[in-house]
Amino acid sequence: MSTEARHGPITIEEVAAAAGVSRSTVSRVVNGSTSVSPSALESVQRAIADLHYVPNRAARSLASRQTQAIALVVPEDTTRFFGDPFFAAIVSGINARLTRSDYVLNLFIASDDPGDKTTSYLRSGAVDGAIIVSHHTSDTFIDRIAAAVPVVYGGRPVRERERDYYVDVDNVSGGRDAVTHLIERGHRRIGTITGPLTMPAGVDRLEGFRQALAAAGLEEGPVEEGGFTADGGADAMRRMLERGPVPDGLFVASDLMARGALSVLAAAGLRVPEDVAIIGFDDSPVATSVTPQLTTMRQPSFQQGEVMASTLLDILAGGSPRHVTILDTELIVRDSV
């Protein structure tokens, strides 16, 4: 006679007793948390296999009032979301981590929240937690979400608090390394096209640009805001050319904006890199789809998505993950410098 036939369904308490660990440790393993020691993980997995334990998702949800759902909130319009490869990489990383758990992902694209529709839904208990990516200074509605459910931010929050959890890339270092490379290649009149200065990523990459120039004793070249879109990059490049003089080196804070800038430079009869050397940021598929192919700063967007999801799962399982995780960028040299 099977164990289930003799005793009814195996409980999580029986698994914990067999593994010699606490009930909460078994719960963390079942929910895919990484805050479990290798030895405890092995013991729990062995007990689950020996006892033929099958987690009852519906019962767990009722007992804990959990929905087993996580929200990804992107305060952008649909054009930006579907047009920027950064978001595809982020979502892929989040999804890859969640497939190893019982949680499902709900996507909310909201450049604003008229009538508090999204906010009210997320505060109603419809999800257990949220990941918020690409937020701006004006996106105050996300504060009301963070007051209701655990939140992990993609990027440094615009109103950072000590208790916040976020996963970011080292944008200051990335901007600094990009401009340092231009300086090392002999460029002296260096400008930049920034991302939105309502976003920490835009501010931090500009700060890196300025730090590199200051360290080299160079004056700051032209600065134009481009908005992290190809059209924004093109418009910023036109303004820069109109105001003159033309820089001989240009740090563009995203590959999409660099694509827009390249098209304007070509139309003006300026060659890259002979007349203007360009470095982008992201190392997205855009970087290798343009001519010349972009030298760029690689940011690990897929990994960022995975780490954000892991952090939130740890929080929901009662763990104590790091509040701040900063990932490194890497210079990828191609043909535009």
Side-chain angles (χ1 to χ4, degrees), residues 157-170:
V158 293
R159 290 171 290 277
E160 184 180 355
R161 296 159 295 190
E162 186 176 349
R163 67 179 183 272
D164 287 337
Y165 292 88
Y166 67 90
V167 181
D168 203 357
V169 300
D170 194 338

Side-chain angles (χ1 to χ4, degrees), residues 254-311:
S254 82
D255 292 344
L256 268 179
M257 292 194 299
R259 184 173 71 187
L262 282 169
S263 66
V264 171
L265 288 170
L270 293 168
R271 300 164 301 163
V272 176
E274 293 85 355
D275 299 318
V276 184
I278 293 183
I279 295 184
F281 202 108
D282 288 330
D283 194 31
S284 68
V286 172
T288 54
S289 68
V290 295
T291 302
Q293 293 191 355
L294 276 174
T295 293
T296 185
M297 298 303 303
R298 174 180 292 164
Q299 62 170 332
S301 302
F302 183 93
Q303 182 187 2
Q304 186 180 3
E306 283 190 307
V307 176
M308 285 190 294
S310 291
T311 301

Side-chain angles (χ1 to χ4, degrees), residues 177-198:
D177 290 348
V179 177
T180 298
H181 183 69
L182 288 169
I183 294 168
E184 290 173 347
R185 296 299 295 267
H187 301 284
R188 293 296 178 266
R189 299 189 314 279
I190 301 173
T192 185
I193 296 176
T194 77
L197 297 180
T198 58

Side-chain angles (χ1 to χ4, degrees), residues 5 26 33 55 70 108 110 170 174 197 202 233 251 297 318 332:
V26 177
S33 171
I70 286 172
F108 296 85
D170 194 338
L197 297 180
F251 168 50
M297 298 303 303
I332 304 299

Side-chain angles (χ1 to χ4, degrees), residues 36-313:
V36 179
S37 70
S39 60
L41 176 63
E42 182 181 355
S43 297
V44 172
Q45 289 175 334
R46 184 167 55 249
I48 287 173
D50 290 346
L51 297 175
H52 305 290
Y53 172 66
V54 178
N56 185 330
R57 177 174 171 176
R60 286 207 317 274
S61 296
L62 276 175
S64 64
R65 296 185 180 274
Q66 289 185 330
T67 65
Q68 303 300 125
I70 286 172
L72 171 59
V73 182
V74 184
E76 299 285 357
D77 59 34
T78 54
T79 301
R80 168 97 202 280
F81 179 80
F82 289 108
D84 192 334
F86 165 77
F87 293 111
I90 286 283
V91 173
S92 295
I94 294 170
N95 187 62
R97 179 62 188 88
L98 293 186
T99 56
R100 306 195 301 273
S101 76
D102 284 340
Y103 284 85
V104 296
L105 184 66
N106 294 338
L107 174 62
F108 296 85
I109 305 172
S111 56
D112 53 21
D113 194 14
D116 266 0
K117 182 170 65 173
T118 298
T119 305
S120 297
Y121 179 79
L122 297 180
R123 287 169 59 92
S124 71
V127 298
D128 296 332
I131 296 170
I132 299 177
V133 175
S134 194
H135 43 291
H136 302 249
T137 305
S138 60
D139 296 322
T140 56
F141 73 91
I142 66 176
D143 296 333
R144 298 193 294 280
I145 296 171
V149 298
V151 163
V152 175
Y153 296 93
R156 177 167 55 86
V158 293
R159 290 171 290 277
E160 184 180 355
R161 296 159 295 190
E162 186 176 349
R163 67 179 183 272
D164 287 337
Y165 292 88
Y166 67 90
V167 181
D168 203 357
V169 300
D170 194 338
N171 288 298
V172 174
S173 176
R176 187 172 59 242
D177 290 348
V179 177
T180 298
H181 183 69
L182 288 169
I183 294 168
E184 290 173 347
R185 296 299 295 267
H187 301 284
R188 293 296 178 266
R189 299 189 314 279
I190 301 173
T192 185
I193 296 176
T194 77
L197 297 180
T198 58
M199 298 179 68
V203 172
D204 289 351
R205 291 173 198 178
L206 176 59
E207 174 62 21
F209 162 83
R210 287 174 167 158
Q211 286 184 10
L213 293 175
L218 295 176
E219 291 186 7
E220 184 178 303
V223 176
E224 296 287 349
E225 188 172 352
F228 285 153
T229 66
D231 287 345
D235 290 342
M237 192 73 252
R238 289 189 193 97
R239 293 194 301 271
M240 195 176 291
L241 294 181
E242 288 169 0
R243 292 171 186 174
V246 178
D248 64 358
L250 186 63
F251 168 50
V252 186
S254 82
D255 292 344
L256 268 179
M257 292 194 299
R259 184 173 71 187
L262 282 169
S263 66
V264 171
L265 288 170
L270 293 168
R271 300 164 301 163
V272 176
E274 293 85 355
D275 299 318
V276 184
I278 293 183
I279 295 184
F281 202 108
D282 288 330
D283 194 31
S284 68
V286 172
T288 54
S289 68
V290 295
T291 302
Q293 293 191 355
L294 276 174
T295 293
T296 185
M297 298 303 303
R298 174 180 292 164
Q299 62 170 332
S301 302
F302 183 93
Q303 182 187 2
Q304 186 180 3
E306 283 190 307
V307 176
M308 285 190 294
S310 291
T311 301
L312 185 55
L313 290 175

